[in-house]
Amino acid sequence: MTRFDNPHSRIVAKAKILLPLASVALLATLFLFARSSETLDDFPFAQSDIEALAREQRLDGPAFSTVTSDGAQLEIAAKTIRPDPSDGRILNSTQVNAELKLLNSATVSMLANDIAIDGPNEVAELAGGVNVNTTTGYSLNTDRIAAQLNFSQIESPGPVEGTAPAGDISAGSMKISQDADSGSYLLVFKERVKLVYQP
């Protein structure tokens, strides 16, 4: 039997025996005390959420952006989006935040409860109570807004009311678009326009 004359050699010789034994003991412990695998019941999903995901197509937290033909930027974000049951080319969304950044540095921000994006016709229709705010000082409320995706135009065919830089305003309809002659952007109110001037 080999004799070791120095402490280092004795430690190495003992380690050659003890370390493999320790590794075998660790492996045996892992196999003996391993827990059973988790099942789907252990995950924190509500049964209603699982059934809803299986029943319908849905995307959470989507964002959409485009550049119109005149160079303005339109950005739309929603809480959820799903295809329309009657027409798969139309997407329906909920809790919508849309923003149109015009070339003159003005911005039109829109908040709505619902939106339907019609890709073939290149229009996004906001509904369910729409709040429109502009960086030029207008804050308006209406039931529905149609925003074109291919050029800068926002139109409300129904009644509009809110505040303007000069005071309170109401009208039967409203339209924001680019003037063909000057290239500037115009906010036009039509039908029974009423302005309560506040100097």
Side-chain angles (χ1 to χ4, degrees):
M1 184 174 176
T2 305
R3 294 177 58 86
F4 300 106
D5 296 332
N6 57 55
H8 176 60
S9 297
R10 286 193 293 273
I11 291 172
V12 170
K14 290 179 181 178
K16 286 181 180 179
I17 298 170
L18 294 176
L19 288 178
L21 288 175
S23 63
V24 170
L26 282 174
L27 283 174
T29 304
L30 286 174
F31 285 114
L32 289 174
F33 297 105
R35 294 189 305 176
S36 61
S37 61
E38 294 180 334
T39 63
L40 282 177
D41 296 335
D42 300 324
F43 288 97
F45 294 118
Q47 187 63 29
S48 59
D49 292 341
I50 296 172
E51 292 172 357
L53 288 173
R55 188 173 56 249
E56 63 182 15
Q57 296 178 349
R58 185 180 72 188
L59 180 64
D60 291 332
F64 167 82
S65 62
T66 185
V67 177
T68 62
S69 58
D70 56 308
Q73 298 177 19
L74 177 63
E75 299 175 354
I76 300 173
K79 183 179 180 182
T80 61
I81 192 167
R82 60 178 58 86
D84 190 285
S86 60
D87 189 347
R89 300 174 301 169
I90 298 176
L91 299 174
N92 296 322
S93 302
T94 58
Q95 296 185 18
V96 182
N97 183 4
E99 191 172 72
L100 179 64
K101 298 177 182 177
L102 303 173
L103 291 180
N104 62 356
S105 300
T107 300
V108 181
S109 300
M110 295 164 279
L111 294 174
N113 292 320
D114 305 294
I115 186 174
I117 300 175
D118 187 348
N121 293 320
E122 298 188 277
V123 63
E125 187 171 310
L126 290 81
V130 186
N131 177 252
V132 181
N133 288 285
T134 71
T135 51
T136 53
Y138 290 86
S139 180
L140 307 166
N141 295 299
T142 185
D143 290 333
R144 188 165 65 91
I145 287 280
Q148 294 294 139
L149 303 178
N150 53 346
F151 59 94
S152 298
Q153 179 175 297
I154 297 171
E155 186 173 6
S156 172
V160 179
E161 62 179 19
T163 59
D168 296 332
I169 191 167
S170 63
S173 64
M174 172 198 74
K175 185 177 182 180
I176 301 174
S177 61
Q178 187 179 36
D179 182 62
D181 297 328
S182 64
S184 59
Y185 296 94
L186 302 176
L187 170 56
V188 179
F189 295 95
K190 295 180 180 179
E191 303 173 21
R192 306 179 307 280
V193 180
K194 178 182 178 183
L195 174 64
V196 179
Y197 178 64
Q198 295 178 355

